[in-house]
Amino acid sequence: MTLIDASFKGFPGHLAPLEMSQIGEQDWSLLKGHLPFPLAVLKQSALTHNLAWMQDFCQTRGLDIAPHGKTTMSPELYRLQLQAGAWGISFATVFQASLGIRNGVERIIIANQVFQEADLDTLSNLLRQHPAVKVHFLVDSQAHIDAIETWRASRASETVFTVLIELGIDGKRTGCRDHAQAMALARSIKSTAGLRLSGIECYEGSLATCHHVHDQAAVEALMSRVQRLAKECEDEDLFECDEVLLTAGGSAIFDLVAVHLKPLLRRPVRGVLRSGCYLTHDHVHYKQMLKCVGERLQLTETLKPALEVISCVQSCPEPGLALLSMGKRDVSFDMDLPVPVWRAKLNDLATQGVPGHWEITALNDQHAYLRFDAKAPVQEHPFVGLIVGSGISHPCTTFDKWRWMPVVNDHYEVMDAVSIHF
């Protein structure tokens, strides 16, 4: 049980502590002012839609998904994803993976290198304590293997780690840059007592431009490298697993890697996407990327934005400028600034869209600068006390600013809540 109290931003400070599971029983309404703003919220209808949409996407292609848990760091959302059919959950660090393990996640991909002694100690201990848990992590160099073997010898450890070879892209982040290096690494893993090779991993997200011809060609080139490596590793009997795991797929061009994740090998292949942001989506960056996915797949509907940050107008100090009660402490700004989506007066029964001339142009720590056309009709002007709901770009860096989020229905009544553990 997670207890929430006045130490959690967004929780009414005058109320007694509550169990997270009790939040939906409080009859809170955001439009009635029951919770203080700013407040990040999740829309229940969009979460439900996105879970079903992505599961259908994977099932129709014979693929699985292990959503990237670093996006939300929320056990309640992991459970929703697993209940919807997710094969497992991905993480970026041992610390993150430990949150999943403590909350019942049994299949984990750590889509990163694990080699520091403290992390190897922790992971080895977790695997001993939870024998049903299966963890795969990445290797991309002999130095990495050497560090693991040095640790293993110093601890007289009998732990055997299951690893994936990471293929990388010139000029981008981690991963083997060429086929010869990857094959040498696979042979070294086979000869290392403490490691077992279970598959191949890559990350294509850095290739995404939303230009179809470029993105398709770039992904095909990367995935052909993955398939060639998988086939040669099988030819040399370098895999030590019942099924070969091939995994890729961020949240931008996952449709392009999806067609390449099931090469014909002699042993079974499990293709696993790792998209993380699909669950909450957004109003800017991933909205544009999914528009491109929809164009490629000729879809009329893709994902819906579920994450919003709600604030109120706290000052209108000059014509054409209003200050909202949210800032860099509350909302993501690393890719794009938030966008105002709806407005409502206190005790309104419903929201209405904002005028097209409203724009958030800057953020301070605790303020957002909302610019508007001072010559527009007065009914289109913001005023002190007005509630404003804003969409975001890049969910990851909004989640890490909160310890909890209410889950609301389309009338902004609080139905549930999730905890966040960055």
Side-chain angles (χ1 to χ4, degrees), residues 248-300:
S251 298
I253 49 176
F254 56 86
D255 62 308
L256 297 178
V257 298
V259 298
H260 301 284
L261 280 176
K262 295 293 288 287
L264 187 61
L265 302 181
R266 290 188 298 276
R267 69 181 67 200
V269 176
R270 186 176 296 276
V272 179
L273 296 177
R274 299 194 311 279
S275 309
C277 295
Y278 79 89
L279 180 59
T280 62
H281 198 44
D282 70 18
H283 286 79
V284 188
H285 176 70
Y286 287 115
K287 178 181 178 180
Q288 177 60 29
M289 289 297 175
L290 265 291
K291 179 176 180 289
C292 295
V293 171
E295 290 172 358
R296 287 191 292 267
L297 299 179
Q298 299 182 329
L299 301 175
T300 57

Side-chain angles (χ1 to χ4, degrees), residues 319-320 357 372-378 380-381:
H357 53 86
F372 63 97
D373 183 359
K375 296 179 180 179
V378 67
E380 294 185 2
H381 290 204

Side-chain angles (χ1 to χ4, degrees), residues 105-123:
V105 180
E106 293 191 345
R107 297 192 189 102
I108 288 173
I109 297 172
I110 300 179
N112 213 343
Q113 284 70 32
V114 179
F115 62 93
Q116 296 181 73
E117 289 190 350
D119 280 339
L120 293 167
D121 286 337
T122 299
L123 183 55

Side-chain angles (χ1 to χ4, degrees), residues 45 49 169 302:
S45 59
H49 168 84
I169 302 167
T302 58

Side-chain angles (χ1 to χ4, degrees), residues 330-352:
D330 313 301
V331 67
S332 57
F333 57 93
D334 57 317
M335 299 186 76
D336 304 279
L337 291 172
V339 291
V341 176
W342 59 263
R343 56 183 168 152
K345 300 189 298 294
L346 189 65
N347 291 315
D348 275 353
L349 298 179
T351 64
Q352 60 176 316

Side-chain angles (χ1 to χ4, degrees), residues 67-74 78 89-93 96-97 99 111-112 173 203 251 274 276-277 286 394-397 399-400 420 422:
H68 217 315
K70 70 176 175 60
T71 301
T72 67
M73 288 296 285
S74 174
Y78 300 160
I89 303 290
S90 297
F91 296 98
T93 66
Q96 293 173 2
L99 174 68
N112 213 343
R173 61 191 200 195
Y203 172 66
S251 298
R274 299 194 311 279
C277 295
Y286 287 115
H394 198 195
C396 302
T397 48
F399 270 97
D400 66 7
I420 302 164
F422 280 93

Side-chain angles (χ1 to χ4, degrees), residues 70-231:
K70 70 176 175 60
T71 301
T72 67
M73 288 296 285
S74 174
E76 294 86 359
L77 293 179
Y78 300 160
R79 283 194 283 274
L80 283 180
Q81 292 170 308
L82 292 169
Q83 288 166 5
W87 173 82
I89 303 290
S90 297
F91 296 98
T93 66
V94 172
F95 164 74
Q96 293 173 2
S98 68
L99 174 68
I101 292 171
R102 292 195 305 272
N103 287 277
V105 180
E106 293 191 345
R107 297 192 189 102
I108 288 173
I109 297 172
I110 300 179
N112 213 343
Q113 284 70 32
V114 179
F115 62 93
Q116 296 181 73
E117 289 190 350
D119 280 339
L120 293 167
D121 286 337
T122 299
L123 183 55
S124 179
N125 187 55
L126 286 168
L127 292 173
R128 282 197 305 271
Q129 292 179 346
H130 304 272
V133 169
K134 305 297 181 186
V135 176
H136 309 258
F137 66 80
L138 310 187
V139 294
D140 71 352
S141 70
Q142 184 61 45
H144 184 199
I145 295 175
D146 293 343
I148 295 171
E149 282 301 280
T150 297
W151 168 86
R152 195 167 185 265
S154 70
R155 304 299 195 269
S157 174
E158 296 184 359
T159 300
V160 177
F161 295 115
T162 302
V163 298
L164 308 168
I165 291 179
E166 180 178 20
L167 287 185
I169 302 167
D170 287 346
K172 304 299 181 182
R173 61 191 200 195
T174 51
C176 297
R177 285 338 196 218
D178 61 60
H179 182 75
Q181 178 193 9
M183 283 301 299
L185 198 60
R187 296 181 188 114
S188 180
I189 292 169
K190 181 66 180 285
S191 65
T192 300
L195 298 177
R196 297 289 183 269
L197 181 61
S198 63
I200 315 295
E201 183 272 352
C202 69
Y203 172 66
E204 80 295 337
S206 59
L207 300 171
T209 65
C210 234
H211 292 89
H212 298 318
V213 174
H214 168 275
D215 290 356
Q216 287 172 332
V219 168
E220 285 178 6
L222 175 62
M223 298 308 295
S224 69
R225 292 174 57 205
V226 171
Q227 293 187 355
R228 179 188 174 196
L229 179 61
K231 290 175 181 176

